[in-house]
Amino acid sequence: MKANIICGALMVALLSCGERKQNQQFQPSSTGSINGLIVVMENDLWQGVVGDSVRAHFAKPALGLMPEQPILSLTQIPPKVFSGAVTRARSVLYVAQDTLTIAHIKTDLYASPQKIAVVKGTNQQEILVGLDQLAENAIRSYKAVEIKEAQKRFQKSLNREKALQEVLGIAMNIPSAYRVGKQEEGFVWFDRQIPKGTLNVIAYSMPNNSFSNDSTFVNDIVAMRDSIGKRFIPGPDEGTYMITERAFAPYLFPLATNGLKGAEAKGIWEINGYPMAGPFLTHILNDTINQRKVVVEGFAFAPATQKRDYMFELEAILKTVTISK
């Protein structure tokens, strides 16, 4: 009898496991444009202080861009419209006045990959508090899923050139639209043409003790970028070259990617002695295997053009970097 009970329990467990796998297998793929956010809330909330709070948090200007652009592109729809194919949006914010107060993030609820941030309150003040508490975590969650989506899209067609491995002993997943434009000792430069300019990825290494003093970290980064620009990145006229924009110090953030720790810098580059400028994103990574700093950077030249999604593409590329062992 006990053996039959045990066998029966095992069969139930196996069938249950099979059902879970089947459900996961048939979950539809999420949809949506990169950096788009579906905001599900009633029209009266959207048009009032709750909507103002949503816009202040989720459509604030992205750092280091000119002209200014929001971090996410918001599309508001009322709850009654949130059904069918719309529920498969990759990034969703659901805001409602309800009988309970919650603020949390759900993963892969209707599709995969998907992040749905839910904020509810019994009154508008409770909703506002929930938005304040959840916004930054929700934005990080959206960004993570959007980065993965961007990487998935360009994974289909990658550049197969070996310059990064040969020169620096590193690897990155770089789309095939990029080509090596310069390869010198300790320096590699990829670029691709866009409608009004170019997107660029550069990589080089620095000595392990290049940034030993926290108090001079920002100045050291600027000096590093300027020296690399002078040596490798010329401007249109003789004697001109890339430098870090003088009027504004770069924004700095801690960074951890693929097991590598370091720092991220965002700012504006310009050409010394020539009217050209644009945004840059620099990752400085601790290569403990080779006792050095590995620097990978993306920068865009696209005058009078919205650059958020271009810089997001570059960030997605930089975050694939790995060190050869």
Side-chain angles (χ1 to χ4, degrees), residues 179-245:
R179 292 286 186 268
V180 174
K182 181 177 287 189
Q183 177 179 341
E184 299 188 20
E185 183 178 355
F187 180 86
V188 182
W189 183 354
F190 292 81
D191 66 346
R192 83 169 177 95
Q193 297 296 312
I194 55 177
K196 293 185 178 181
T198 60
L199 295 184
N200 306 267
V201 175
I202 61 174
Y204 53 95
S205 64
M206 296 289 291
N208 209 30
N209 61 355
S210 297
F211 308 99
S212 56
N213 193 328
D214 290 345
S215 63
T216 62
F217 191 40
V218 174
N219 291 334
D220 291 343
I221 291 175
V222 171
M224 174 191 73
R225 293 194 69 263
D226 292 356
S227 66
I228 292 295
K230 186 174 184 178
R231 183 177 175 186
F232 295 112
I233 309 175
D237 291 345
E238 185 176 353
T240 63
Y241 56 90
M242 176 184 284
I243 61 173
T244 308
E245 214 277 345

Side-chain angles (χ1 to χ4, degrees), residues 63 214 216-219 221-222 249-255 263-267 280 282 284:
L63 297 177
D214 290 345
T216 62
F217 191 40
V218 174
N219 291 334
I221 291 175
V222 171
Y251 299 98
L252 294 181
F253 307 92
L255 178 68
E264 177 183 80
K266 290 183 178 181
F280 73 84
T282 303
I284 304 167

Side-chain angles (χ1 to χ4, degrees), residues 13-309:
L14 288 171
L15 288 171
S16 176
C17 181
E19 287 175 0
R20 284 198 299 270
K21 288 183 178 179
Q22 189 177 33
N23 289 338
Q24 291 171 359
Q25 183 178 354
F26 289 104
Q27 191 175 38
S29 297
S30 56
T31 60
S33 58
I34 296 291
N35 293 317
L37 177 63
I38 298 296
V39 181
V40 184
M41 58 191 300
E42 296 290 357
N43 294 336
D44 58 340
L45 289 178
W46 177 250
Q47 293 162 5
V49 293
V50 174
D52 291 341
S53 178
V54 168
R55 288 182 285 274
H57 284 301
F58 296 93
K60 61 186 177 183
L63 297 177
L65 292 184
M66 54 179 199
E68 273 191 2
Q69 209 174 348
I71 58 172
L72 295 166
S73 297
L74 310 187
T75 301
Q76 180 262 338
I77 61 172
K80 64 183 179 181
V81 178
F82 188 61
S83 62
V86 183
T87 63
R88 299 201 294 269
R90 194 167 46 255
S91 298
V92 178
L93 173 64
Y94 193 101
V95 181
Q97 190 164 331
D98 207 333
T99 56
L100 72 165
T101 301
I102 56 173
H104 59 196
I105 299 171
K106 292 181 175 291
T107 299
D108 298 349
L109 186 61
Y110 301 106
S112 178
Q114 184 182 58
K115 292 293 181 181
I116 300 180
V118 180
V119 178
K120 294 182 179 181
T122 61
N123 55 54
Q124 291 194 14
Q125 185 57 40
E126 288 184 352
I127 295 174
L128 293 173
V129 171
L131 287 169
D132 290 342
Q133 293 174 344
L134 192 66
E136 288 306 313
N137 190 27
I139 290 168
R140 283 192 295 269
S141 296
Y142 295 145
K143 183 174 181 179
V145 78
E146 295 298 311
I147 286 284
K148 288 183 179 180
E149 176 63 21
Q151 292 171 341
K152 176 183 174 183
R153 291 183 184 186
F154 62 65
Q155 182 75 29
K156 298 174 183 177
S157 180
L158 295 177
N159 181 292
R160 301 299 180 183
E161 295 174 280
K162 303 297 184 181
L164 289 174
Q165 177 62 45
E166 294 171 354
V167 175
L168 293 164
I170 67 173
M172 275 193 290
N173 290 342
I174 300 178
S176 59
Y178 291 77
R179 292 286 186 268
V180 174
K182 181 177 287 189
Q183 177 179 341
E184 299 188 20
E185 183 178 355
F187 180 86
V188 182
W189 183 354
F190 292 81
D191 66 346
R192 83 169 177 95
Q193 297 296 312
I194 55 177
K196 293 185 178 181
T198 60
L199 295 184
N200 306 267
V201 175
I202 61 174
Y204 53 95
S205 64
M206 296 289 291
N208 209 30
N209 61 355
S210 297
F211 308 99
S212 56
N213 193 328
D214 290 345
S215 63
T216 62
F217 191 40
V218 174
N219 291 334
D220 291 343
I221 291 175
V222 171
M224 174 191 73
R225 293 194 69 263
D226 292 356
S227 66
I228 292 295
K230 186 174 184 178
R231 183 177 175 186
F232 295 112
I233 309 175
D237 291 345
E238 185 176 353
T240 63
Y241 56 90
M242 176 184 284
I243 61 173
T244 308
E245 214 277 345
R246 297 303 189 204
F248 303 99
Y251 299 98
L252 294 181
F253 307 92
L255 178 68
T257 182
N258 297 328
L260 300 169
K261 293 184 178 181
E264 177 183 80
K266 290 183 178 181
I268 302 296
W269 61 266
E270 63 182 358
I271 296 298
N272 185 40
Y274 195 90
M276 288 176 62
F280 73 84
L281 175 70
T282 303
H283 287 181
I284 304 167
L285 301 167
N286 297 317
D287 179 4
T288 57
I289 297 172
N290 301 294
Q291 296 301 303
R292 62 178 179 170
K293 307 293 185 189
V294 168
V295 183
V296 290
E297 177 174 312
F299 64 92
F301 174 61
T305 300
Q306 300 288 337
K307 303 176 187 67
R308 181 195 65 193
D309 292 345

